[in-house]
Amino acid sequence: MPNEEAASLSISNADLIREDVYHIAMSVRDTLQKLSDNRLPLIIRIENSIHRVNPKAPVTFPRNWCDYSSCVLALQLARYLDDPAINLCKSHEDGVHWWLRYADFDIDITADQYEHTNEPVIVERESQTHELHFHDPSPSPFFSRERCSSPYFERLVDRLDAEVDQHLKPDRGIHAMTWCMGDRANDEE
């Protein structure tokens, strides 16, 4: 009996985590889509930076937005869940694709840029989309990652995160201080 209760409890916790992560992922995706649709100057700068790296790539959210979107989503998840244990996954199959992994869930808000899925948000354990199309993802802890060699990319991610955070705050009580900013602030004192 105790084993059944433990199994039931862990399934419940996993379902709750999945539900929270899905809600956050959908909110971030919707916000990025709205920002893109409104053609804000920040969005135009981001799309121009993507275009500079790959001039032949079409750049309209979600197409070729996976690295920016994954970084912003990781920051939002860390804020809301108060947990830095988020992995950034990168695969070189089917071009280069980025997504997140948290608590054994693959989390992707741009997978629908590919023909093999039309799901705008994926939050699944061992996602079939990722298993079949993005082999050997080489996950690494998001918060211990090397900062991008381009400070321009990092500044745009920070600005995009701030813009997304501003749009999401009225909808959800996201903490004003992020996990990583809180630690940095304490380190500086």
Side-chain angles (χ1 to χ4, degrees):
M1 213 47 143
N3 287 341
E4 289 175 23
E5 288 177 25
S8 173
L9 184 59
S10 71
I11 291 170
S12 302
N13 287 339
D15 290 341
L16 289 174
I17 289 170
R18 185 198 178 284
E19 187 176 313
D20 285 348
V21 168
Y22 185 85
H23 176 74
I24 295 163
M26 186 59 87
S27 296
V28 169
R29 166 141 179 151
D30 288 348
T31 302
L32 289 173
Q33 184 69 61
K34 287 175 190 166
L35 294 173
S36 181
D37 291 347
N38 289 325
R39 309 300 304 146
L40 297 178
L42 172 62
I43 299 302
I44 293 168
R45 284 195 302 273
I46 289 171
E47 290 179 352
N48 287 341
S49 77
I50 296 169
H51 215 28
R52 275 195 296 277
V53 172
N54 188 355
K56 295 180 182 177
V59 182
T60 311
F61 187 84
R63 292 188 58 78
N64 294 305
W65 269 79
C66 52
D67 54 350
Y68 282 97
S69 299
S70 294
C71 289
V72 169
L73 180 56
L75 293 168
Q76 292 295 323
L77 286 169
R79 258 185 210 103
Y80 184 76
L81 300 170
D82 196 26
D83 186 351
I86 299 164
N87 287 315
L88 183 63
C89 298
K90 178 181 180 181
S91 174
H92 292 280
E93 297 282 326
D94 213 4
V96 175
H97 186 59
W98 302 80
W99 71 96
L100 302 176
R101 191 167 288 154
Y102 174 75
D104 296 326
F105 288 99
D106 287 311
I107 308 159
D108 196 336
I109 61 173
T110 62
D112 61 333
Q113 67 182 297
Y114 297 98
E115 293 176 4
H116 45 75
T117 186
N118 60 359
E119 294 179 68
V121 172
I122 294 173
V123 179
E124 296 175 7
R125 285 182 190 255
E126 299 175 4
S127 159
Q128 289 300 308
T129 296
H130 294 86
E131 293 287 323
L132 293 172
H133 300 284
F134 305 114
H135 308 284
D136 302 320
S138 66
S140 59
F142 176 76
F143 286 105
S144 67
R145 73 184 174 92
E146 292 284 323
R147 297 293 279 182
C148 179
S149 60
S150 165
Y152 186 69
F153 174 85
E154 296 295 345
R155 281 195 307 271
L156 289 176
V157 166
D158 290 343
R159 288 181 185 153
L160 185 60
D161 176 55
E163 189 74 34
V164 168
D165 194 43
Q166 186 64 34
H167 279 80
L168 294 182
K169 275 187 182 177
D171 297 335
R172 283 196 334 256
I174 296 176
H175 314 319
M177 272 305 230
T178 66
W179 168 83
C180 58
M181 294 301 285
D183 276 2
R184 286 184 195 152
N186 291 337
D187 290 344
E188 292 173 7
E189 291 178 359

